[in-house]
Amino acid sequence: MDRRKFLTRAGVASVAAATVGCGEKSQPIHPTRSQDVGCFGHPIPAECQQDANGDWQLTPGVRTAYSRCFSCYNICGLRVRIDEKNDKVLKVGGNPYCENNSGSPLPIETSVKQSYIALAGENGLTNRATTCAKGASCADSVDDERRVTQVLKRDGKRGEGRWVTISYEQALQEILQGGDLFGEGHVEGLRSLRQLDKPVKPGFPEFGSAANHLFATYCAEDTLRGSFYARFMQQSWGTSNLGTKHAYCGAAQATGYSLGMAAGFEEWLNDVDWENVEYGLFMGTSPGSSGVSLNRVGRGLADSRVDRTFNYVCVDPLLRTTVAADTNATWLAVKPGQDAAFSFGVIRTMLEEGWFNKAHLEGASEKAAKAAGELNYTNAGHLVIVDPKHPDYRRFAKAKDFGLGGDEAIIVKAGGNTLVAAESGDKAELFVSQTVKDKSGRKVKLASSLYLLREEAKRTSMQEYAAKSGISIEDMRQVAKDLGQYGRKACVAGNGGTNSSDGFVMGWIWATLNTLVGSHDAKGGAIYGNGPIGGMEGRYDLANIDNGVSLDGVVNACRDGAYESSTEYKQKVAKGQNPYPASTPWHEVLPAMNAAEQWTSHANNDPYQAKVLFNWRNNFLYSAASISQEVVASIADPKRLPLVIGIDCHMNETNRYADYFIPDRSMLEEYAADRMWGSYMLGVAAAAPLVTPRTVKNAAGQHVCMEQLLVDIALDMQLPGFGKGVIAHEDGSKADLLCFEDWHAKYLANVASQCEKLPTVTDEDRQWAGLDYAMKPLTPRLTATEANEVEALLSRGGYYVASERYDGDFVKGAEPKCLQLYHEAVAQLRHAYSGEHYPGTITYHEHRFWNGDSWESHWPASEYPLLFSSYKATVRSNYAVAYKRIAEISPTNFVYMHEETAKQQGLTDGDKVKLITANGKPATGLLQTDFGVAPGAVCVSHGFGHSQGFGGDDRIINGEKLAGLKARAGGVAINQMIPSDPTRKQTASMLNDYWTGANCRHGIPIRVEKA
């Protein structure tokens, strides 16, 4: 047998680990096993095999199913092998129907049996469906040795790690009733906490009712279960304090990017059209390092290198593995947090040299764009009023004020000096600055959006951009030239790797660069997937609750609203005072439900404190950079926070402070229907429980989980939206919401009803997809039609539909957009400290605190000579840390530094070092030096150092000690050393993006010393 054929057959192991090749007789599926497993272990039973007649058969005792991965938030498809006798997950691979797993996904009409056959033999190379190490390791998630499966009550001081097991019923009653639960005094139960008729902060109506004393944190990325959690917290209970991780992940960039895409405030991020891209600029990352599916991007990157000699540049403080020799890749070693300096050097060069898509930018209206063969149009030529004395200063000049039309903007017609309405269909002159008279005879100074952008870029010299960023003028000019040359087939992308005080601006920069070259929605450019198929609407109305609580106009504890509408502002104005600065930050641009900031407010008792915390699948004390130790102290103190309920599979750095720990289902024990990051095809990744949940049952025989706890609380307190007949069906009937399965059945039915081309499920499909097991809890809760649709959805592990991708030079189905180089709505906002207007265009400035002081003025280079940057390790995530195989693959992280930088600091490779910032809480790690780090930078990956969670810590349960697992605690946790903002004059503080309030983790001044 030649080597290729051997490898081909060896590759079949992902489908049939012990099968023989096609046409050969099968061997016994359970061979006699040697007792010597020290080297390789025992082979596991295959999913399927060929019989003596060449027919494929499922292996007896092995159930197979397509599912979805939640090992990280990118969401890919899975195929899972289950040992039915032992109720164990045997192995996990990729779903061949799902674009995120397969370079050539199978058509959804392909039968389930045929999909497995397509993965075997020679066909396996073409149809190969992979999953990354995180996905492959998730088999460990079900029976992890430190998973919490019993209901726990703390037995000692909060956070001390001492617990006793109690019944679910006892926990439920104590949470509801309260009392002297821990010998520390009376604890108020939930029954008396929900006071909708009482203000949470008297005299400040914007903060709503006393029901807001309940703070909840959750995982919004799990859309099916997360929407249930949000239903309870917001519409049923009535709290606005529902926090998630977005603001300390990538929300600043996503919000910034949206400013370049539309006139409103949303969240956008682009993908790369890997099918035709020829040039890429990756900011703060490299392809596949974070943000989208490693499976999808890895395959797209490899194909692009081979098929089109794809050229790309990674601007990052750390040299990543995808930027290597002979890959047509360039690494530009930017100083941490100085991405904007590099970007503005590129933009200045493009605008001065004319290296931009002039025809695209001149299209000032949809009519003009269409005439020029363009899809999108821009406001590059729209004229802005730049006279500070004019009542419409910073707004677009309106055509009606110049006798040219209505409320639309005006432009100077290209090639002349004539003012016309932007909607006229004429091309726009791009660089305009002039004074004209309006129809009343008043002189008005006007400037075009692109002119204002060029002036902003020219405000700083190229020499300073180079000095700040650490990237030469020559390199910046080359990138500018390449972007202009490749045009539509160039794409600029990033995701969270530039979270500094200007993270909001960085997202807008990415969008702006794509606008300058005309690559939005272009073949080979910046593309936007079809988005999720949500399950809140459809056959069942899950979005609305009769008599539910309305939170319209209520500002949460993060103050994510307009300061100018606040009571504080109005009181100051009434007294004739300057309303600025506000007493504490307000952020109107980023309503991202910042879990870390809401707990900063709690620690400061401003505007009020929480009385109870529900924490489900969230770990803000670990994951949020710069969170104050005062926040930790406020959560650990029962006098400041009387009641804490943690709900999860694992005890982490946050829910270790719980009073009651409610065990939850794992990712392979739940239903799911989620969006995918990296997939362009219309679709949704779906899943059903694959094994029996490991959580304890309640007295009614139901497995304890998040949904059951909230249902039981709601039924006891008679909250709206839960109970008999609370969900409206499209036929006018009413459905119940009484248990876990009720919600999941209805949500999946809604998703399936929106899938227009679901396959017809056969008996053979049911057998090969394990549908009897998946559907048994759902079928009694659905109509026959709904059940058929849901099992079709689950049979393929989701819904994946390929369609014609392009319409000429653009992506098919993309809607025309007015791309924003100047954002009028943003320009009307004011910073809550200074009162200064937000920038109407992207703006370059040094890093600033909340009060406008520079970081350097408080953290001088003489004391902190280096700059810190964190990044996501490729195979680590919030949940993957608990997978045994992941700990084996990447047991620790390191402190990375350039060799010359280390020498200058008196350090050598292998030193144990302390990372010291201004917060006085150093981190300790092991130094590794090479030339793959920007000079003056210190880079450490996130996701390690779990000495206080996931089993890395000691626990005592019912008097028995469970010693911490060293593998879980490997490496250094770095977020807790990020300093907070010293200019926020309260005890607890955070270091936030100047404009949006998202958390910073890049460009932090630091020094490194031998430990």
Side-chain angles (χ1 to χ4, degrees):
M1 182 183 291
D2 66 28
R3 182 174 181 273
R4 182 174 182 275
K5 185 147 292 190
F6 170 78
L7 291 175
T8 299
R9 292 191 176 175
V12 176
S14 64
V15 179
T19 63
V20 298
C22 294
E24 299 180 43
K25 292 184 179 180
S26 62
Q27 300 297 318
I29 200 63
H30 298 292
T32 302
R33 293 180 172 180
S34 164
Q35 296 305 305
D36 180 13
V37 296
C39 186
F40 299 107
H42 291 307
I44 61 174
E47 291 157 330
C48 52
Q49 60 179 335
Q50 282 183 299
D51 62 21
N53 298 318
D55 294 329
W56 286 89
Q57 305 292 339
L58 282 170
T59 300
V62 173
R63 176 165 34 90
T64 60
Y66 289 121
S67 183
R68 77 85 161 90
C69 185
F70 201 64
S71 296
C72 74
Y73 297 144
N74 293 334
I75 315 297
C76 299
L78 297 179
R79 68 178 187 276
V80 185
R81 198 180 314 176
I82 302 107
D83 180 336
E84 291 200 288
K85 179 179 179 181
N86 296 311
D87 197 28
K88 298 280 189 181
V89 176
L90 294 173
K91 191 175 181 179
V92 173
N95 182 345
Y97 293 104
C98 179
E99 182 185 1
N100 270 8
N101 301 97
S102 176
S104 52
L106 296 175
I108 200 167
E109 308 85 50
T110 306
S111 73
V112 180
K113 179 179 179 179
Q114 189 60 43
S115 73
Y116 280 94
I117 297 173
L119 291 166
E122 295 288 341
N123 291 332
L125 294 176
T126 302
N127 300 314
R128 179 173 48 186
T130 59
T131 187
C132 75
K134 291 175 289 187
S137 299
C138 76
D140 297 336
S141 65
V142 174
D143 293 308
D144 178 70
E145 59 186 307
R146 287 295 185 269
R147 178 179 173 182
V148 180
T149 60
Q150 302 290 317
V151 179
L152 302 178
K153 179 180 179 179
R154 71 172 168 96
D155 180 31
K157 294 181 179 179
R158 190 179 284 173
E160 194 175 35
R162 301 178 65 92
W163 305 87
V164 292
T165 57
I166 61 173
S167 70
Y168 169 77
E169 286 69 28
Q170 179 184 340
L172 177 63
Q173 283 307 305
E174 291 182 3
I175 290 169
L176 286 164
Q177 187 65 30
D180 187 4
L181 305 175
F182 304 97
E184 299 167 343
H186 182 77
V187 176
E188 193 171 4
L190 295 184
R191 287 191 187 124
S192 61
L193 272 176
R194 184 175 179 263
Q195 298 171 311
L196 294 174
D197 57 349
K198 179 181 176 182
V200 68
K201 186 175 176 66
F204 292 78
E206 64 266 31
F207 294 118
S209 78
N212 284 293
H213 281 303
L214 185 151
F215 282 28
T217 48
Y218 81 127
C219 179
E221 303 293 350
D222 186 337
T223 49
L224 191 161
R225 302 189 71 196
S227 59
F228 174 93
Y229 192 85
R231 174 189 178 95
F232 174 91
M233 296 300 169
Q234 295 177 313
Q235 292 174 276
S236 293
W237 180 276
T239 182
S240 63
N241 290 310
L242 180 61
T244 186
K245 57 92 183 173
H246 296 329
Y248 45 87
C249 183
Q253 284 91 339
T255 303
Y257 198 95
S258 76
L259 302 186
M261 301 300 294
F265 303 141
E266 300 173 15
E267 285 193 12
W268 288 64
L269 275 178
N270 64 302
D271 285 328
V272 179
D273 182 13
W274 291 107
E275 304 299 319
N276 283 282
V277 68
E278 295 180 1
Y279 181 84
L281 177 62
F282 297 91
M283 303 292 294
T285 187
S286 66
S289 293
S290 66
V292 291
S293 165
L294 175 62
N295 307 306
R296 177 67 187 96
V297 174
R299 186 173 282 108
L301 176 61
D303 290 345
S304 298
R305 287 171 176 168
V306 174
D307 298 341
R308 294 184 303 283
T309 60
F310 173 57
N311 291 283
Y312 61 104
V313 176
C314 295
V315 182
D316 194 57
L318 186 69
L319 176 62
R320 310 292 183 101
T321 55
T322 54
V323 188
D326 302 321
T327 60
N328 305 314
T330 300
W331 172 50
L332 295 181
V334 69
K335 292 180 181 179
Q338 295 299 326
D339 309 81
F342 161 80
S343 302
F344 267 95
V346 171
I347 290 169
R348 174 172 176 158
T349 303
M350 293 176 74
L351 296 180
E352 289 183 335
E353 298 290 347
W355 293 337
F356 53 82
N357 190 328
K358 184 170 181 285
H360 169 60
L361 296 178
E362 286 178 334
S365 65
E366 186 175 349
K367 182 179 179 181
K370 188 173 183 180
E374 299 285 336
L375 171 67
N376 298 310
Y377 56 108
T378 82
N379 65 12
H382 292 194
L383 299 179
V384 181
I385 297 172
V386 293
D387 181 356
K389 296 180 180 179
H390 196 283
D392 289 331
Y393 174 48
R394 305 175 66 85
R395 296 184 183 275
F396 286 118
K398 293 181 179 180
K400 66 182 181 183
D401 295 331
F402 293 81
L404 299 171
D407 288 332
E408 67 268 29
I410 60 173
I411 60 173
V412 171
K413 188 175 179 178
N417 199 33
T418 305
L419 288 178
V420 296
E423 300 300 322
S424 65
D426 291 304
K427 295 179 181 179
E429 192 68 26
L430 295 178
F431 297 103
V432 177
S433 177
Q434 62 186 53
T435 300
V436 300
K437 290 183 178 180
D438 63 18
K439 68 179 183 181
S440 69
R442 177 177 180 165
K443 290 183 178 181
V444 184
K445 188 174 182 180
L446 304 173
S448 64
S449 299
L450 195 62
Y451 175 87
L452 293 174
L453 175 60
R454 188 177 66 180
E455 290 302 295
E456 173 60 24
K458 289 169 62 177
R459 189 169 55 84
T460 304
S461 70
M462 291 295 292
Q463 289 76 14
E464 186 172 346
Y465 287 141
K468 286 286 188 181
S469 67
I471 298 174
S472 70
I473 294 175
E474 291 74 19
D475 283 335
M476 288 188 282
R477 288 185 60 82
Q478 186 62 51
V479 170
K481 186 176 182 179
D482 289 342
L483 283 169
Q485 175 184 335
Y486 283 94
R488 293 208 194 286
K489 292 188 181 294
C491 181
V492 181
N495 194 308
T498 55
N499 270 36
S500 200
S501 78
D502 58 358
F504 159 77
V505 173
M506 280 308 306
W508 199 353
I509 283 173
W510 304 339
T512 297
L513 285 167
N514 285 326
T515 297
L516 291 179
V517 299
S519 69
H520 293 289
D521 301 304
K523 184 177 183 179
I527 63 171
Y528 307 90
N530 286 281
I533 300 176
M536 296 300 286
E537 298 175 346
R539 300 192 185 281
Y540 297 89
D541 182 3
L542 302 182
N544 299 295
I545 293 177
D546 289 343
N547 301 314
V549 179
S550 173
L551 296 174
D552 290 346
V554 177
V555 177
N556 65 23
C558 302
R559 292 181 168 89
D560 60 356
Y563 170 58
E564 290 74 17
S565 66
S566 71
T567 300
E568 176 187 348
Y569 179 92
K570 294 172 183 176
Q571 288 176 344
K572 288 179 177 178
V573 171
K575 294 176 181 178
Q577 300 173 350
N578 180 354
Y580 303 99
S583 60
T584 196
W586 287 71
H587 297 288
E588 189 173 358
V589 177
L590 187 72
M593 304 187 292
N594 187 339
E597 190 66 39
Q598 75 180 38
W599 286 97
T600 300
S601 298
H602 161 79
N604 292 323
N605 194 12
D606 182 15
Y608 49 84
Q609 282 188 322
K611 293 185 178 181
V612 59
L613 161 62
F614 277 81
N615 185 57
W616 174 66
R617 277 189 175 174
N618 192 285
N619 193 12
F620 60 90
L621 290 183
Y622 173 86
S623 297
S626 84
I627 198 161
S628 169
Q629 294 307 301
E630 181 61 23
V631 170
V632 179
S634 72
I635 292 173
D637 185 355
K639 291 185 174 61
R640 298 171 71 179
L641 177 60
L643 186 59
V644 180
I645 297 107
I647 313 169
D648 212 328
C649 296
H650 290 93
M651 201 169 288
N652 61 36
E653 285 81 357
T654 302
N655 60 38
R656 70 189 301 266
Y657 292 101
D659 297 315
Y660 297 91
F661 196 106
I662 307 299
D664 195 33
R665 294 182 179 233
S666 77
M667 60 171 276
L668 298 179
E669 300 167 352
E670 64 187 6
Y671 292 98
D674 293 312
R675 60 97 184 102
M676 299 161 285
W677 282 1
S679 173
Y680 177 78
M681 289 170 56
L682 174 65
V684 60
L690 301 175
V691 293
T692 304
R694 303 311 195 229
T695 61
V696 66
K697 291 183 178 180
N698 63 14
Q702 299 159 315
H703 285 280
V704 173
C705 61
M706 176 270 289
E707 288 89 342
Q708 200 57 55
L709 175 69
L710 298 188
V711 163
D712 289 338
I713 290 171
L715 294 179
D716 180 274
M717 296 183 61
Q718 298 183 340
L719 300 182
F722 292 83
K724 290 276 190 181
V726 294
I727 297 175
H729 190 270
E730 62 181 356
D731 65 6
S733 64
K734 297 284 188 176
D736 301 337
L737 183 49
L738 298 167
C739 63
F740 171 89
E741 292 82 4
D742 284 342
W743 177 265
H744 293 243
K746 309 304 187 288
Y747 192 99
L748 289 172
N750 280 352
V751 171
S753 71
Q754 299 173 62
C755 301
E756 297 178 355
K757 300 178 181 178
L758 282 171
T760 300
V761 175
T762 65
D763 289 339
E764 182 184 73
D765 287 334
R766 291 186 181 93
Q767 181 186 14
W768 280 74
L771 290 178
D772 288 345
Y773 187 94
M775 291 299 299
K776 186 176 180 180
L778 303 182
T779 301
R781 294 171 168 83
L782 300 171
T783 68
T785 297
E786 292 164 358
N788 289 338
E789 292 172 343
V790 170
E791 70 171 357
L793 179 71
L794 296 178
S795 71
R796 272 66 169 174
Y799 181 64
Y800 314 100
V801 178
S803 60
E804 183 62 37
R805 191 161 189 164
Y806 307 109
D807 182 3
D809 290 335
F810 298 96
V811 172
K812 188 174 183 179
E815 295 294 329
K817 295 178 286 293
C818 181
L819 304 172
Q820 311 283 300
L821 291 172
Y822 182 89
H823 203 288
E824 183 182 57
V826 172
Q828 309 313 309
L829 304 179
R830 291 180 180 270
H831 193 273
Y833 186 94
S834 65
E836 67 176 296
H837 283 280
Y838 278 40
T841 64
I842 54 174
T843 303
Y844 176 71
H845 58 75
E846 60 187 344
H847 291 304
R848 296 190 236 176
F849 294 116
W850 143 250
N851 78 340
D853 288 355
S854 70
W855 286 8
E856 171 70 20
S857 66
H858 290 257
W859 302 332
S862 58
E863 189 173 355
Y864 304 103
L866 307 176
L867 296 175
F868 178 78
S869 178
S870 67
Y871 65 97
K872 288 182 180 179
T874 305
V875 294
R876 301 283 287 204
S877 70
N878 287 352
Y879 289 97
V881 65
Y883 303 164
K884 186 176 181 180
R885 292 172 177 85
I886 291 296
E888 293 171 350
I889 294 169
S890 55
T892 189
N893 59 353
F894 297 94
V895 177
Y896 290 115
M897 192 182 295
H898 194 282
E899 285 187 359
E900 293 301 320
T901 303
K903 287 180 183 178
Q904 293 166 8
Q905 304 301 312
L907 303 170
T908 58
D909 185 77
D911 282 347
K912 189 176 182 181
V913 295
K914 285 197 300 184
L915 309 178
I916 302 170
T917 66
N919 79 343
K921 192 173 186 290
T924 302
L926 193 65
L927 180 67
Q928 283 199 355
T929 64
D930 57 30
F931 292 97
V933 187
V938 180
C939 299
V940 186
S941 65
H942 175 54
F944 292 82
H946 286 282
S947 60
Q948 298 295 314
F950 294 97
D953 55 327
D954 294 343
R955 293 179 205 162
I956 298 175
I957 301 179
N958 296 333
E960 293 187 17
K961 181 178 179 179
L962 290 175
L965 303 173
K966 291 183 179 180
R968 302 286 170 88
V972 54
I974 42 82
N975 276 338
Q976 288 66 39
M977 75 166 191
I978 305 297
S980 54
D981 185 339
T983 72
R984 292 174 59 173
K985 302 303 182 183
Q986 293 176 305
T987 305
S989 175
M990 296 199 73
L991 185 64
N992 289 341
D993 178 291
Y994 180 73
W995 302 107
T996 67
N999 305 136
C1000 301
R1001 59 178 183 263
H1002 295 286
I1004 311 300
I1006 190 174
R1007 70 175 182 271
V1008 181
E1009 301 175 353
K1010 282 189 179 180

